[in-house]
Amino acid sequence: MNDNSNIHCRLKSEVDNTNWCPNDKLTDPGSEYTIIQNNNLNSGKNGEAVQIKPQMVKLRTRRGKETKISFQYAKAANYPIDLYYILDLSASMKTHKNKLATLGDQLVHVMQSITNNFLLGFGSFVDKTIMPFTSTAPNRIDKPCDNCVRAYSYKNHLSLTNDYRQFSKQVSAANVSGNLDAPEGGFDALMQAIVCKQQIGWRENARHIIVFSTDAEFHIAGDGKLAGIFEPNDAVCHMQNNEYVKALELDYPSVSHLNYVAKENNINLIFAVVSKDTEHVFNAYRTLQENFENSGVGRLDDQSSNVVDLVMDNYNKIVDSVRITDNSTSTVEIKYHSSCKNPTENGCSNLQLDEVVEFTATIKPLDCIEGSNVQRIQIKPEGVNEALIVELEVTCTCDCENPANSEYISNSTRCNTHGHEVCGICDCSEGYFGSTCECNAESVSSVDDMHCKKDPLVSEICSGLGTCKCGKCVCDERPGDQLIYGKFCECDNFSCRRVKGELCSGPDHGKCACGKCECLAGWTGESCDCRDTTATCIDPRGKGEICSGHGKCVCGECQCTNDEKKYSGRYCEECASCPGQRCEELQTCVECQAYGTGLDKTTCQENCTDFNTTLVEHIDVDNVDDNMKVCTVIDSAGCTITFGYSYFNEGSIAIEALKEKVSCPNPLDLVMVVLGVIASIVLGGLILLAIWKLVTHIHDGREYARFVAEAESAKWVRGENPLYKGASTTFQNPTYKK
């Protein structure tokens, strides 16, 4: 190695055409891929079923280098099945228990049509035997209800067995019990049934299915506090004599805890719910099912006569799709790609028996692991115990760094006995530095500033962020976790882009290295704020195309194209001007054909001739065929109508409309409207009359006051009217009495 440098590794582009290191000293470790176990796929008809190939590989690669590993998956036709039925045995489920006992043989017959390697078991639950969940009154403990037995949390009546007659016997012999509150303690039963592998009899190489049947909601973590139970559920088996014995010591498990344990133990859950008169119980379990991977939910009728069909329908939904998962850490990025016809996120749907699907896993180590760089990664289909084991070794050092290598010289004289010569470079002991460990950090000051300048033409030493000692930069210290580093103190871990005040969008997205964000698996972008996946841009009800083929996926979100046809929607699936988007165009004819509103009958018959609308009772918006477009619009009467249309026979259109309208406004009461108008007119007239009367009263008062004022200000009085002449005139004779 070059004596003027203590750098072991550089980019290949930086090494070419330089004298940094002699060619005979250069080493460029490549990737090594070895298949350890590679048994052929087997449907299980002849020998043990094998659904994934290969089974084990060994990969040795360098950090940051992508390696593609191909593997195959095929759904085996005769794969072993372990089915365990957990039944709610509160008193309200007595009818369903009796029906299940009579349908045991039918359930066995149907499952045997799938596989000849089938085991069946049975357990039941009620609730914790403590107030306020069950009554502890002396007269209610042993007999909580008529013809009931003492309450219990969970019992395993029948471990998994191929003696199928025992199933019907045990179900028939099990007695119902009673509790006080509406929710049941089914989560305790689920947890114990999953973790008590030996007691239940779960087999290693089999598909594990639990059918959970109830007519009530469930208690969750935290409800135990109502009875003074504060200890969280520990996900450990506590069964004695086939009964759960720590129900009064441990709280109910949480939903996420159950999902994690079920996933770790390859459990497929089917919720069979008796909905009774309301929908809230079924809706609760439908929401619960969305939080469990590899699960299904169905509705039982009043007699549970459809339990066999329900189990089979949900089993087929589970096994007809596959989703690949792994247990890699954040230091390894793994992406999956498949060749199947109906791709989903990391998997496929609508698989056929023995259909071979080619998968490619792209593995990229992001960092070296402290202590050991060997990982054992398990790549497996969800709900199946088989897996592809990848023994991953990340190459983070050269062979010459091994003390046993001939190029490793301890306390080398070339390093002034203050360090080891490793790969031709001195690895100095603590307190010494320099290319030959000639500098003592405590006693030596700067002797050669030129070695501390990144650019000899620039006067700045150590990037202005450190001091030069013995020809080596000693970087300034920063408070907290902030760090300045690099040969010339040119790097730091605090000047990267921030999102919402957090470096590289936070530690779960990436880390800051030398002023740039290094993103963890699943994130990309200058600030690691973009999801490195296209799965969120694929419509789960579409054809698996990114942004429905009408846009591009940026940061995990669709950006739709704006050409002649303007697309919109979360997945760019909407197009108002496209032939396939005709809700507003078809609304008028659908309304008049289906409901007789909107257009008059003659106009409707003349203008609406391209199709006939069929009335149906139900349109499942969440599970419509890919070819059907569902429209929900407001009609001319203000009601909400729902209809779906699809194309067939080269452009012909078929339309189905819901029989009932919804959200219709209440009709007007004409009598009340007329009376209201009349009353308004009369009231208005009275108000106007009162106003006129008030105005005239005020006006007359003002006129009278003015008249009085004028009369008082006159200079004559009533007795001295100058115009007044009396009725008689008096004349006096001047000669009278003379």
Side-chain angles (χ1 to χ4, degrees):
M1 292 290 185
N2 191 330
D3 290 344
N4 294 324
S5 173
N6 59 355
I7 299 176
H8 289 269
C9 300
R10 281 187 174 177
L11 295 174
K12 195 172 188 303
S13 58
E14 296 177 351
V15 176
D16 293 341
N17 303 320
T18 66
N19 60 353
W20 171 70
C21 183
N23 290 334
D24 61 338
K25 294 289 186 179
L26 285 174
T27 178
D28 186 10
S31 298
E32 297 178 8
Y33 173 68
T34 307
I35 298 178
I36 307 299
Q37 185 176 351
N38 192 25
N39 297 329
N40 291 327
L41 299 173
N42 192 335
S43 65
K45 296 179 181 178
N46 297 308
E48 184 177 350
V50 177
Q51 298 185 117
I52 194 167
K53 175 189 178 183
Q55 293 79 42
M56 180 178 290
V57 300
K58 187 174 183 179
L59 174 63
R60 189 171 186 262
T61 187
R62 298 170 65 176
R63 179 183 65 176
K65 187 173 183 179
E66 291 187 349
T67 304
K68 296 183 183 295
I69 295 180
S70 298
F71 62 96
Q72 297 176 330
Y73 172 81
K75 184 177 69 172
N78 198 37
Y79 198 75
I81 297 175
D82 292 348
L83 190 149
Y84 190 73
Y85 203 105
I86 300 179
L87 182 63
D88 175 4
L89 278 188
S90 55
S92 58
M93 289 289 288
K94 184 174 182 180
T95 302
H96 303 279
K97 177 193 81 75
N98 295 335
K99 189 63 177 180
L100 178 61
T102 64
L103 293 176
D105 292 339
Q106 184 179 345
L107 178 62
V108 170
H109 177 73
V110 172
M111 295 305 295
Q112 284 181 327
S113 66
I114 300 174
T115 177
N116 56 20
N117 194 349
F118 168 60
L119 298 183
L120 185 62
F122 169 63
S124 67
F125 67 90
V126 182
D127 211 338
K128 295 183 184 294
T129 55
I130 190 172
M131 288 289 290
F133 309 123
T134 58
S135 176
T136 56
N139 61 334
R140 298 290 300 275
I141 294 178
D142 294 324
K143 191 177 181 181
C145 52
D146 294 337
N147 299 319
C148 291
V149 298
R150 188 186 183 99
Y152 55 89
S153 178
Y154 162 66
K155 283 184 181 180
N156 173 35
H157 297 273
L158 178 66
S159 299
L160 292 167
T161 178
N162 57 4
D163 185 0
Y164 309 126
R165 292 176 297 178
Q166 288 296 322
F167 179 79
S168 295
K169 289 182 180 179
Q170 291 294 333
V171 174
S172 180
N175 291 319
V176 297
S177 185
N179 60 327
L180 291 178
D181 60 346
E184 313 289 10
F187 276 17
D188 276 345
L190 270 177
M191 180 63 79
Q192 291 301 299
I194 294 172
V195 300
C196 294
K197 298 181 181 180
Q198 185 176 355
Q199 289 82 347
I200 302 301
W202 296 114
R203 293 178 292 178
E204 191 71 18
N205 294 318
R207 189 180 291 274
H208 305 153
I209 301 174
I210 292 180
V211 180
F212 184 87
S213 183
T214 183
D215 65 345
E217 294 177 275
F218 42 84
H219 282 297
I220 59 174
D223 287 357
K225 294 180 180 180
L226 297 172
I229 302 173
F230 296 93
E231 187 73 20
N233 197 285
D234 58 6
V236 175
C237 182
H238 298 292
M239 296 280 288
Q240 292 181 11
N241 298 322
N242 285 321
E243 188 167 346
Y244 180 38
V245 296
K246 285 206 171 184
L248 303 185
E249 300 177 32
L250 300 176
D251 195 5
Y252 302 99
S254 66
V255 174
S256 58
H257 194 187
L258 266 178
N259 177 48
Y260 173 79
V261 173
K263 183 179 179 181
E264 288 294 304
N265 290 274
N266 302 307
I267 299 294
N268 302 276
L269 275 170
I270 298 176
F271 297 103
V273 184
V274 180
S275 189
K276 294 184 178 179
D277 299 328
T278 60
E279 288 290 318
H280 76 277
V281 174
F282 179 76
N283 290 336
Y285 280 93
R286 183 164 57 184
T287 303
L288 178 65
Q289 179 264 333
E290 294 173 356
N291 291 277
F292 276 87
E293 299 179 26
N294 258 36
S295 63
V297 62
R299 191 196 308 266
L300 291 173
D301 57 30
D302 293 339
Q303 301 295 323
S304 282
S305 58
N306 65 328
V307 64
V308 176
D309 293 336
L310 185 149
V311 171
M312 284 306 303
D313 289 344
N314 282 277
Y315 171 80
N316 288 330
K317 289 179 182 178
I318 292 173
V319 301
D320 285 352
S321 62
V322 61
R323 183 173 183 268
I324 304 299
T325 61
D326 58 71
N327 62 344
S328 63
T329 64
S330 60
T331 60
V332 179
E333 177 185 89
I334 303 181
K335 297 180 181 179
Y336 299 100
H337 176 74
S338 67
S339 63
C340 60
K341 300 176 182 177
N342 300 288
T344 59
E345 183 180 2
N346 294 344
C348 300
S349 61
N350 299 326
L351 295 180
Q352 304 300 317
L353 286 176
D354 297 327
E355 177 186 350
V356 178
V357 180
E358 298 283 348
F359 282 96
T360 301
T362 303
I363 300 178
K364 179 182 178 182
L366 301 177
D367 208 346
C368 296
I369 305 173
E370 187 175 349
S372 173
N373 288 315
V374 179
Q375 296 186 53
R376 189 180 176 89
I377 299 176
Q378 189 180 68
I379 297 175
K380 62 185 293 295
E382 279 187 350
V384 177
N385 199 45
E386 297 182 60
L388 165 61
I389 305 299
V390 179
E391 291 187 350
L392 175 65
E393 180 181 354
V394 184
T395 304
C396 295
T397 59
C398 297
D399 293 336
C400 56
E401 294 181 75
N402 189 335
N405 192 276
S406 60
E407 295 188 22
Y408 188 101
I409 304 173
S410 299
N411 297 319
S412 171
T413 56
R414 183 171 168 273
C415 302
N416 294 297
T417 67
H418 296 313
H420 310 308
E421 188 175 347
V422 182
C423 299
I425 293 180
C426 287
D427 185 8
C428 302
S429 303
E430 185 176 356
Y432 293 88
F433 60 91
S435 60
T436 57
C437 304
E438 73 278 12
C439 294
N440 188 320
E442 296 181 356
S443 60
V444 180
S445 61
S446 175
V447 294
D448 191 356
D449 288 349
M450 291 301 295
H451 291 151
C452 297
K453 295 181 180 181
K454 191 173 183 180
D455 187 346
L457 301 178
V458 178
S459 61
E460 189 177 56
I461 296 175
C462 300
S463 304
L465 299 172
T467 57
C468 186
K469 288 187 178 181
C470 202
K472 183 178 180 179
C473 287
V474 178
C475 302
D476 296 338
E477 294 185 357
R478 297 278 299 184
D481 296 330
Q482 295 183 1
L483 181 67
I484 300 174
Y485 60 98
K487 182 179 179 180
F488 304 103
C489 301
E490 73 278 13
C491 293
D492 64 70
N493 66 347
F494 55 83
S495 63
C496 295
R497 287 178 175 268
R498 296 174 182 264
V499 176
K500 295 182 179 179
E502 291 191 296
L503 279 170
C504 303
S505 303
D508 55 340
H509 286 213
K511 62 180 181 180
C512 183
C514 205
K516 293 184 178 181
C517 289
E518 290 184 355
C519 302
L520 298 178
W523 299 97
T524 186
E526 292 186 357
S527 53
C528 300
D529 56 342
C530 291
R531 289 193 175 275
D532 189 15
T533 178
T534 58
T536 53
C537 296
I538 298 176
D539 189 346
R541 295 183 297 172
K543 299 179 179 179
E545 295 179 301
I546 295 176
C547 299
S548 304
H550 305 304
K552 58 183 179 179
C553 191
V554 179
C555 280
E557 296 182 354
C558 284
Q559 289 187 355
C560 305
T561 56
N562 288 316
D563 48 15
E564 295 179 358
K565 298 178 181 179
K566 293 187 177 181
Y567 291 89
S568 61
R570 179 178 178 181
Y571 305 106
C572 301
E573 77 280 14
E574 297 289 344
C575 176
S577 61
C578 298
Q581 309 285 330
R582 305 174 58 189
C583 293
E584 295 183 2
E585 175 189 346
L586 299 173
Q587 174 187 347
T588 305
C589 288
V590 171
E591 182 182 349
C592 72
Q593 288 184 355
Y595 310 107
T597 58
L599 299 176
D600 59 74
K601 186 175 181 180
T602 302
T603 305
C604 183
Q605 291 175 348
E606 292 176 353
N607 297 336
C608 303
T609 58
D610 293 338
F611 58 85
N612 290 317
T613 304
T614 303
L615 291 176
V616 295
E617 295 290 340
H618 178 68
I619 295 178
D620 191 349
V621 177
D622 296 325
N623 295 289
V624 296
D625 186 83
D626 290 341
N627 187 39
M628 175 175 282
K629 175 69 178 178
V630 177
C631 305
T632 301
V633 295
I634 306 298
D635 69 359
S636 59
C639 300
T640 300
I641 62 174
T642 300
F643 64 91
Y645 63 89
S646 56
Y647 296 94
F648 66 97
N649 294 339
E650 300 183 355
S652 298
I653 187 170
I655 296 183
E656 294 180 351
L658 280 182
K659 189 175 182 180
E660 298 293 334
K661 298 182 180 182
V662 296
S663 303
C664 292
N666 295 325
L668 295 175
D669 189 336
L670 295 178
V671 175
M672 294 302 297
V673 170
V674 172
L675 292 177
V677 171
I678 295 174
S680 299
I681 294 173
V682 172
L683 180 61
L686 292 175
I687 293 173
L688 290 175
L689 183 61
I691 293 172
W692 174 81
K693 184 65 176 177
L694 178 62
V695 170
T696 55
H697 177 75
I698 294 172
H699 179 267
D700 291 348
R702 289 177 177 175
E703 291 294 321
Y704 177 75
R706 188 172 64 179
F707 169 76
V708 171
E710 291 177 352
E712 290 179 351
S713 62
K715 294 182 179 180
W716 50 269
V717 295
R718 186 172 298 173
E720 298 178 352
N721 188 348
L723 301 178
Y724 175 77
K725 290 183 178 183
S728 59
T729 302
T730 302
F731 297 94
Q732 186 174 0
N733 188 352
T735 61
Y736 177 66
K737 293 185 178 181
K738 289 184 178 183

